[in-house]
Amino acid sequence: QEPPLTVDLADGTPVATAAGRFRNHPNVLALGVNCVPPEIVLPLIGELAHAAPGKAIVVYPNSGEIYRSEDNSWQGTTTPLQCQRAAAEWIAAGANLVGGCCRIGPAQIAAQNPAAARYAWLLLPTPPASRPTSTRRSWGLPTPACPRGRPMLC
């Protein structure tokens, strides 16, 4: 059996160590990953959730395609159905904000919507009460009275 996948930052710091630094920070509401291959998103969600429980988790992976400079092309494909299935897995694993980065377009993002709708019971963390309401809204997170308390697609 292989050991669990751990991911390090460019400087060699484990993602869990970096995320853990924000565990009790009152102004950090979410932690996330951007422009990573979709294959490593699930383990990253686990690392972020374990290192900083109670924080929202954001995932914006790239398509996972590989650029070939020899002929200026992309190898691999990412279909909307693949994005829908992946979004469902990520949301079930604890992601609160799901989107996409390089080579993820409107069709793939739209395909993620049914996955998010199935998990409408999930709520984003409520911002600290000590913050003024206008600041809370500027974060783009639902206020406690918001009826949209579900995973967001960005």
Side-chain angles (χ1 to χ4, degrees), residues 25-29 126-137 139 144:
H25 196 292
N27 295 326
V28 175
L29 300 179
T126 303
S130 61
R131 295 251 181 221
T133 303
S134 60
T135 302
R136 235 187 302 199
R137 285 195 189 108
W139 292 339

Side-chain angles (χ1 to χ4, degrees), residues 62-84:
N62 59 40
S63 69
E65 296 169 287
I66 298 171
Y67 180 71
R68 295 172 32 108
S69 60
E70 312 81 59
D71 61 1
N72 195 29
S73 67
W74 290 90
Q75 179 181 353
T77 59
T78 301
T79 67
L81 183 59
Q82 288 170 315
C83 290
Q84 181 181 4

Side-chain angles (χ1 to χ4, degrees), residues 7-154:
V7 181
D8 296 339
L9 302 177
D11 70 354
T13 304
V15 167
T17 300
R21 292 182 179 155
F22 299 99
R23 177 185 204 127
N24 296 315
H25 196 292
N27 295 326
V28 175
L29 300 179
L31 299 171
V33 296
N34 182 58
C35 207
V36 297
E39 297 80 27
I40 66 170
V41 170
L42 277 176
L44 284 168
I45 291 170
E47 287 190 40
L48 294 173
H50 181 74
K55 303 289 185 189
I57 297 175
V58 181
V59 296
Y60 273 53
N62 59 40
S63 69
E65 296 169 287
I66 298 171
Y67 180 71
R68 295 172 32 108
S69 60
E70 312 81 59
D71 61 1
N72 195 29
S73 67
W74 290 90
Q75 179 181 353
T77 59
T78 301
T79 67
L81 183 59
Q82 288 170 315
C83 290
Q84 181 181 4
R85 288 177 180 154
E89 288 180 9
W90 301 332
I91 292 166
N96 302 95
L97 298 154
V98 178
C101 189
C102 300
R103 309 259 317 151
I104 296 293
Q108 286 90 353
I109 297 296
Q112 293 174 353
N113 191 38
R118 284 194 299 263
Y119 293 94
W121 52 271
L122 292 174
L123 296 175
L124 293 173
T126 303
S130 61
R131 295 251 181 221
T133 303
S134 60
T135 302
R136 235 187 302 199
R137 285 195 189 108
S138 71
W139 292 339
L141 298 174
T143 60
C146 181
R148 280 190 35 185
R150 61 181 184 147
M152 297 174 66
L153 296 174
C154 304

